[in-house]
Structures are given as C-alpha cells and as structure tokens.
Amino acid sequence: MIRTNGICKDYRTEGGRWHRVLSDISFTVAKGEKIAVLGRNGAGKSTLIRLLGAVELPTLGTIEQTMSISWPIGLTGGFHGALTGNDNMRFIARIYNKPFADIKDGVEDFAQLGKFMSEPVKTWSTGMRARFAFALSLAIDFDCYLIDEVISAGDQRFQRRGHEELFEKRADRSLILASHQPDIVRSYCSRALVLHRGRGKVFSDLELAMQIYNDL
C-alpha cells in the first residue's frame, strides 16, 4: 500500500517568502485501488504527483510504500538531454535491473521514433519527448502508476493505444490519477482526493467528490 502522513510542501517565492502549496495531506492507496486527485489549476495536484513519484521531497510529513510506484507518466524532465534515446533507456534499464533489449523493444514499438532513438534527446520535439517518456513508463512493471492528466502526447491513434495499455492491460494495478476529465475519473476511480487551497479530503462517494470539485 501507499500511505501519506501529514504531507506539506513549501516553495520560496520570488519575494523570498515561503508559500505552502500542500498542507497536512494524508490518505492511503491499497494494492489495485484507483484514486482520483481533483482540484482546480494551482490546487497542488501536480505537486502531489511529483512527491509521490519521489521527483521532489515533502517539506514535512512522510510517504510510506510497500509497492513499487512509477515516476509520473509522461514526465520528460528526468532524461539527460545530451544522451540519445537509446542511452537514456540503458540508464533506466540499469536502475531498475531490467534487460535493455526488453525495454528497447517495447519503447521502440510503442513510441515509434525510429532513427531518432539514436539522436540526443535535446534535439527532439516536445511531442517526441512526451511519447518517449510515456512509452518508457510502460516498459517498467510497476505496482502503482502515477498519472498527471491522461495521455495528451501524440495523435489519436497513439492516445488510444496508450489508453488501452494503461487502463485495460494494467487494470489490476493501482492508479493515482490527477485529471480534469470526469468521464475518465468515473470510469476508473473508486475514490477521490479533492484539493482546495492546499488542503485535501478523501471521499469514498465519487459523485459527491465530483460535485464538490465542480462547485469549487
């Protein structure tokens, strides 16, 4: 499971003051459970996803886990721009102790970047980096996937395939999904964490959570 205990996150503003984005956030996610994170822009959804994915550390509080957690799906900031796509895959393969050939085959088939895999990532377009990041996220077998907005990279075919891979083929995995799309939330989530002004509350009644979110 995943358990957050009183998570707080502060950032220093340009004026030198500290701004608290998240305050005392506590919730649990069981194995196989799918929970939505709802909130208006600026509510702290992406910040929470980054904390859960260990991209950043909380200012206060703890995150306990007994299952593997993905990095945020589609995160492009974790790649070394001077390395090629292939070299970035080799690095990820070493970190997660996975055969490079297995990861390479999966990513190449899904992202379909062809010869660009041998070019430095910094020369790629934003869309290419997003497709690569999404494909690489699926190449590692995680117990829980972090999703900050549903697939937006690529054309409709790529998005449909990504939807199938993430929501259908991995239906037994846990999901923590930050999204503004009510149809996706209703289709796949059983509970929701609603964020507002840094605070958060978990609702077992998904429709009530959606109603509160819509009224914010």
Side-chain angles (χ1 to χ4, degrees):
M1 68 182 302
I2 301 169
R3 177 185 290 114
T4 70
N5 304 292
I7 286 179
C8 299
K9 183 61 180 178
D10 299 339
Y11 292 101
R12 188 184 293 274
T13 66
E14 292 183 359
R17 295 185 178 183
W18 289 95
H19 172 62
R20 178 152 292 183
V21 176
L22 295 173
S23 181
D24 196 24
I25 305 297
S26 299
F27 65 97
T28 60
V29 180
K31 188 173 183 178
E33 185 179 14
K34 297 167 179 59
I35 183 170
V37 181
L38 305 176
R40 296 300 179 190
N41 291 335
K45 302 186 301 299
S46 295
T47 299
L48 178 60
I49 293 293
R50 290 196 300 271
L51 295 179
L52 293 169
V55 177
E56 300 182 32
L57 296 176
T59 305
L60 295 171
T62 60
I63 300 173
E64 303 171 22
Q65 66 182 82
T66 58
M67 56 184 174
S68 60
I69 307 176
S70 76
W71 57 82
I73 295 291
L75 176 71
T76 59
F79 302 129
H80 196 302
L83 298 180
T84 67
N86 287 325
D87 287 338
N88 272 286
M89 285 193 293
R90 288 189 181 92
F91 180 70
I92 294 296
R94 286 197 295 269
I95 290 177
Y96 288 95
N97 195 28
K98 300 292 183 181
F100 169 68
D102 292 349
I103 291 180
K104 184 174 186 290
D105 289 345
V107 171
E108 287 186 343
D109 176 64
F110 194 85
Q112 297 184 345
L113 294 175
K115 64 180 182 180
F116 291 103
M117 294 298 295
S118 299
E119 300 292 332
V121 170
K122 65 182 179 182
T123 66
W124 295 1
S125 68
T126 301
M128 291 167 65
R129 289 195 295 269
R131 286 164 57 191
F132 178 68
F134 188 88
L136 191 53
S137 299
L138 297 180
I140 307 296
D141 197 26
F142 294 106
D143 296 321
C144 178
Y145 288 88
L146 304 175
I147 310 168
D148 190 2
E149 282 304 333
V150 187
I151 315 153
S152 58
D155 55 21
Q156 289 187 351
R157 179 177 177 275
F158 180 86
Q159 293 179 23
R160 284 196 301 270
R161 190 176 179 192
H163 190 282
E164 177 185 347
E165 290 285 341
L166 193 56
F167 292 110
E168 298 177 18
K169 292 185 178 180
R170 291 165 177 77
D172 61 332
R173 309 304 167 88
S174 299
L175 293 177
I176 301 176
L177 169 64
S179 178
H180 290 289
Q181 301 182 34
D183 54 334
I184 295 294
V185 171
R186 288 189 173 97
S187 295
Y188 299 105
C189 299
S190 58
R191 295 192 300 151
L193 168 68
V194 180
L195 296 176
H196 183 56
R197 295 180 178 175
R199 298 283 182 171
K201 183 175 181 179
V202 175
F203 293 85
S204 296
D205 186 332
L206 191 60
E207 287 304 318
L208 176 59
M210 295 294 295
Q211 180 180 339
I212 291 172
Y213 162 67
N214 289 331
D215 290 340
L216 293 177

